[in-house]
């Protein structure tokens, strides 16, 4: 079992690296924030001294934190990281611990892109809800729930909801520094950030809502959408797209399928905390699995 011990040691080291990166980057942000506030306070104090000369020097001194504590903490993390992982090379340690694009500690266009696409999802969801439910019920016509392919959309919606809830869970765990990667024994190299998970979930939601809307509109009586494509093609496309999302990218999906196989063979494998978690989720998805089997 030397290979298993070596793998576990590597995962432990990766977990320590991620924790130190998080502390270092947060300390850097706190230091920058402190410097900004300190600079603003100094300018306000100078203005005060010029305006109220009889109280000149009232705010002189250490009346505002200049971020020394955060700077000391960041320096300590740099030295520890350099000694443990970079053979004492401080430059290499600083380079590896810098903020990365999309890691949640540096603003970039990823958040704006996610917000824009979330807005698109909201508009599509309102359109689908109005057209497929309230609008049709008001005219005493069959809503989307009465159509033949509705179990397909309901089953895919269950899987889509699970993806959204997983992203929300990862965000909360990351936000409050719960080391779920270590608890679930994940490989840190194959773990998506919350932003990446939400981006994937938004793409899947857009495809889901578009397929539902096209299926309903092409099969409705108002004939606003051309019926060049048979209505049944849209649920079929959604099924194929869902299968594709559950398999690819294989490097990220492979551990999930291995865990599912181990859950199904629970009597023959050693249980882990993540297998217990997956099994608990499966017991809450009976209706979803029924719809998937029907599909």
């Amino acid at each position: 079992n030397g290979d298993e011990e070596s793998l576990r040691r590597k995962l432990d080291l990766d977990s320590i690296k991620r924790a130190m990166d998080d502390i270092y980057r947060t300390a850097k942000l706190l230091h920058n924030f402190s410097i900004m506030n300190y600079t603003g306070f100094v300018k306000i104090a100078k203005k005060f001294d010029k305006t109220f000369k009889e109280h000149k020097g009232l705010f002189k001194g250490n009346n505002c934190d200049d971020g020394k504590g955060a700077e000391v903490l960041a320096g300590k993390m740099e030295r520890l990281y350099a000694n443990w992982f970079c053979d004492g090379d401080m430059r290499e340690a600083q380079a590896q611990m810098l903020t990365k694009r999309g890691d949640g500690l540096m603003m970039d266009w990823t958040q704006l892109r996610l917000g824009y696409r979330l807005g698109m999802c909201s508009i599509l969801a309102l359109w689908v809800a109005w057209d497929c439910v309230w609008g049709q019920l008001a005219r005493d016509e069959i809503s989307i729930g009465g159509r033949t392919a509705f179990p397909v959309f309901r089953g895919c919606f269950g899987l889509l909801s699970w993806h959204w809830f997983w992203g929300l869970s990862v965000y909360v765990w990351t936000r409050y520094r719960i080391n779920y990667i270590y608890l679930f024994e994940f490989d840190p190299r194959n773990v998506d950030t919350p932003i990446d998970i939400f981006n994937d979930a938004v793409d899947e939601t857009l495809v889901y809502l578009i397929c539902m809307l096209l299926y309903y509109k092409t099969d409705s009586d108002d004939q606003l959408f051309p019926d060049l494509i048979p209505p049944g093609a849209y649920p079929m496309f959604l099924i194929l797209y869902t299968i594709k999302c559950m398999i690819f990218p294989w490097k990220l999906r492979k551990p999930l399928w291995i865990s599912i196989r181990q859950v199904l063979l629970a009597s023959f494998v050693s249980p882990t905390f993540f297998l217990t978690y997956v099994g608990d989720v499966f017991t809450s998805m009976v209706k979803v699995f029924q719809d998937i089997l029907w599909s």
Side-chain angles (χ1 to χ4, degrees):
N1 293 324
D3 294 338
E4 293 183 2
E5 185 64 27
S6 177
L7 178 61
R8 179 171 292 275
R9 176 178 173 80
K10 187 179 186 310
L11 294 178
D12 290 343
L13 290 176
D14 287 338
S15 178
I16 294 173
K17 282 184 178 181
R18 289 174 63 92
M20 294 182 67
D21 286 345
D22 183 56
I23 295 174
Y24 174 78
R25 296 171 187 176
T26 304
K28 280 293 187 181
L29 287 176
L30 181 59
H31 177 254
N32 293 337
F33 181 76
S34 300
I35 291 297
M36 182 178 63
N37 281 272
Y38 181 78
T39 303
F41 181 81
V42 170
K43 291 183 178 180
I44 293 173
K46 288 182 178 180
K47 185 67 174 179
F48 179 85
D49 291 341
K50 292 180 181 180
T51 306
F52 303 97
K53 296 182 179 180
E54 64 275 13
H55 299 292
K56 186 176 181 180
L58 180 63
F59 297 103
K60 189 175 182 180
N62 297 324
N63 295 307
C64 184
D65 188 5
D66 57 358
K68 288 294 184 182
E71 187 177 15
V72 170
L73 177 60
K76 181 179 179 182
M77 290 297 104
E78 289 176 355
R79 290 190 295 272
L80 289 175
Y81 195 96
N83 292 332
W84 291 353
F85 306 113
C86 302
D87 297 327
D89 190 338
M90 290 287 291
R91 294 293 185 185
E92 182 180 354
Q94 292 171 350
Q96 291 186 15
M97 300 177 77
L98 288 174
T99 53
K100 303 298 189 298
R101 181 179 297 275
D103 64 2
L105 292 175
M106 181 176 65
M107 280 299 292
D108 53 37
W109 289 102
T110 306
Q111 289 87 348
L112 178 62
R113 177 173 174 266
L114 176 61
Y116 178 77
R117 289 156 64 240
L118 276 174
M120 294 173 59
C121 283
S122 301
I123 297 300
L124 272 176
L126 288 174
W127 187 3
V128 169
W130 177 262
D131 230 22
C132 300
V133 183
W134 299 311
Q136 295 300 319
L137 288 178
R139 290 181 287 180
D140 296 327
E141 296 182 5
I142 299 176
S143 68
I144 186 67
R147 298 300 173 92
T148 305
F150 179 67
V152 175
F153 292 99
R154 188 171 57 192
C156 292
F157 178 77
L159 296 176
L160 182 60
S161 299
W162 182 88
H163 200 176
W164 275 106
F165 287 134
W166 174 252
L168 182 61
S169 298
V170 171
Y171 171 77
V172 173
W173 294 332
T174 304
R175 174 68 177 79
Y176 293 99
R177 297 183 181 178
I178 298 174
N179 197 348
Y180 71 97
I181 297 176
Y182 180 79
L183 294 176
F184 287 155
E185 300 180 3
F186 289 165
D187 186 345
R189 297 168 297 179
N190 298 330
V191 176
D192 280 336
T193 64
I195 293 294
D196 292 333
I197 297 175
F198 286 137
N199 276 320
D200 291 341
V202 167
D203 290 339
E204 295 161 8
T205 303
L206 287 172
V207 173
Y208 173 83
L209 292 174
I210 291 173
C211 287
M212 176 181 278
L213 188 64
L214 291 175
Y215 167 74
Y216 183 74
K217 298 298 287 185
T218 54
D219 200 29
S220 62
D221 296 331
D222 52 20
Q223 296 295 325
L224 292 178
F225 282 67
D227 54 355
L228 299 177
I229 301 177
Y234 298 110
M236 176 60 68
F237 174 79
L238 182 61
I239 292 174
L240 295 176
Y241 179 78
T242 303
I243 294 174
K244 173 259 179 188
C245 292
M246 295 181 65
I247 297 177
F248 301 103
W250 178 244
K251 182 179 180 180
L252 298 178
R253 301 293 185 263
K254 181 179 178 181
L256 175 62
W257 285 105
I258 293 176
S259 299
I260 292 175
R261 183 192 65 185
Q262 292 176 336
V263 169
L264 297 177
L265 302 175
S267 302
F268 306 98
V269 297
S270 300
T272 63
F273 181 64
F274 183 65
L275 294 184
T276 305
Y277 176 84
V278 173
D280 183 60
V281 171
F282 278 5
T283 58
S284 304
M285 298 178 65
V286 176
K287 184 61 178 177
V288 176
F289 291 147
Q290 289 177 349
D291 290 332
I292 293 174
L293 183 61
W294 186 93
S295 301

